[in-house]
Amino acid sequence: MKSVIIGGFRHTVESPRYHYPHAELWLQSTSARSWDWILYDWSRWFDIHTIGPQSFYPGIRAMRPDVLNWYYKQGSERPIYFTERYPDILASRAYPIERITEKYGAGYFGCQLDYMGALALDEGFGRWILYGVGQIYTKDRTGPQALHWMKHHGTFLYWLRLAKSLGVEIVLDTPASNLITPEMIADEEQYPTPEPREARYGYDMGLPIESMKDNLMAEFA
């Protein structure tokens, strides 16, 4: 069975692949910083944003120049997905948004986890291992910071539920290190799937839509 580790916040000394050596390891944006730039066994990276500014997003260059500098140092053998390809970044790949939205629609792209989940579904990964998804908010799961995180990442429940309905096994690296739990995935009454969004996170942050303005504030939270 094809397995993928969908990475959130770092919470271990060892690489997530230490316990799942046969799984691909997918990480995102500032994970490079949290691993002190020395994690070498990742498989794919996701930073579904533009390098330059949009109306309601300053761009990767302004938001995390240290991470952008790390991107420039990577070779071409492993992909780093952006909203578009940047020829001067050897690892740069355009996320296959046209193929993905043709297959799954465009209503549930509210955070980077959504793009990771959609691609995992598209490529037939039968086991998803959630590593540190929302981990820094697990000490107070009903507190304001945890609720704020869920507001901006709740669309990931859509992909988790769709994956489960298609027979994908959802595994937590540890229950304590993930804000999203199996009970939340199963209980659609208490944790309803959000309504489809008007715009796609990362791509449409130049549109004058409240959700895009709101996402800008989430970046700073």
Side-chain angles (χ1 to χ4, degrees):
M1 181 186 295
K2 289 173 61 177
S3 300
V4 59
I5 302 166
I6 296 179
F9 292 95
R10 179 185 182 181
H11 61 92
T12 56
V13 174
E14 71 278 7
S15 164
R17 290 187 77 180
Y18 179 82
H19 302 285
Y20 304 97
H22 302 297
E24 287 198 23
L25 174 56
W26 295 4
L27 294 171
Q28 52 179 303
S29 55
T30 56
S31 297
R33 187 190 300 147
S34 68
W35 287 97
D36 297 324
W37 320 103
I38 58 172
L39 183 69
Y40 298 117
D41 63 349
W42 57 275
S43 307
R44 313 191 204 187
W45 212 272
F46 293 74
D47 202 336
I48 311 300
H49 300 90
T50 55
I51 289 179
Q54 299 185 55
S55 297
F56 301 105
Y57 183 72
I60 297 170
R61 181 176 290 108
M63 294 289 289
R64 39 187 177 276
D66 55 340
V67 177
L68 180 60
N69 185 54
W70 182 80
Y71 293 156
Y72 280 112
K73 296 177 181 179
Q74 304 311 303
S76 61
E77 65 276 8
R78 294 175 293 185
I80 300 174
Y81 295 109
F82 299 93
T83 56
E84 59 188 279
R85 182 175 176 269
Y86 294 97
D88 52 346
I89 298 177
L90 294 177
S92 170
R93 306 286 191 279
Y95 182 85
I97 190 66
E98 291 82 8
R99 184 179 85 234
I100 294 297
T101 53
E102 182 178 352
K103 189 171 184 178
Y104 298 111
Y108 288 97
F109 293 105
C111 66
Q112 297 206 96
L113 292 168
D114 298 335
Y115 293 106
M116 298 163 85
L119 192 61
L121 267 185
D122 180 65
E123 295 193 7
F125 285 88
R127 180 185 293 116
W128 298 5
I129 302 150
L130 306 187
Y131 172 90
V133 172
Q135 183 268 337
I136 61 174
Y137 307 114
T138 56
K139 290 183 179 179
D140 185 5
R141 292 174 177 269
T142 59
Q145 289 184 309
L147 296 176
H148 179 82
W149 187 90
M150 281 301 302
K151 174 183 176 181
H152 293 285
H153 298 81
T155 43
F156 190 45
L157 285 171
Y158 170 83
W159 298 104
L160 291 168
R161 287 166 176 160
L162 178 58
K164 288 276 288 184
S165 73
L166 296 172
V168 173
E169 179 185 5
I170 307 296
V171 178
L172 308 183
D173 71 312
T174 68
S177 63
N178 287 275
L179 189 59
I180 293 177
T181 66
E183 292 74 21
M184 291 173 66
I185 299 170
D187 191 348
E188 294 192 49
E189 183 174 344
Q190 186 172 354
Y191 303 98
T193 301
E195 292 296 317
R197 296 169 60 89
E198 299 175 85
R200 304 160 302 170
Y201 177 83
Y203 289 90
D204 301 324
M205 298 177 91
L207 299 180
I209 298 173
E210 285 304 313
S211 61
M212 291 298 99
K213 300 176 187 177
D214 204 22
N215 269 320
L216 173 59
M217 299 311 298
E219 284 276 338
F220 291 98

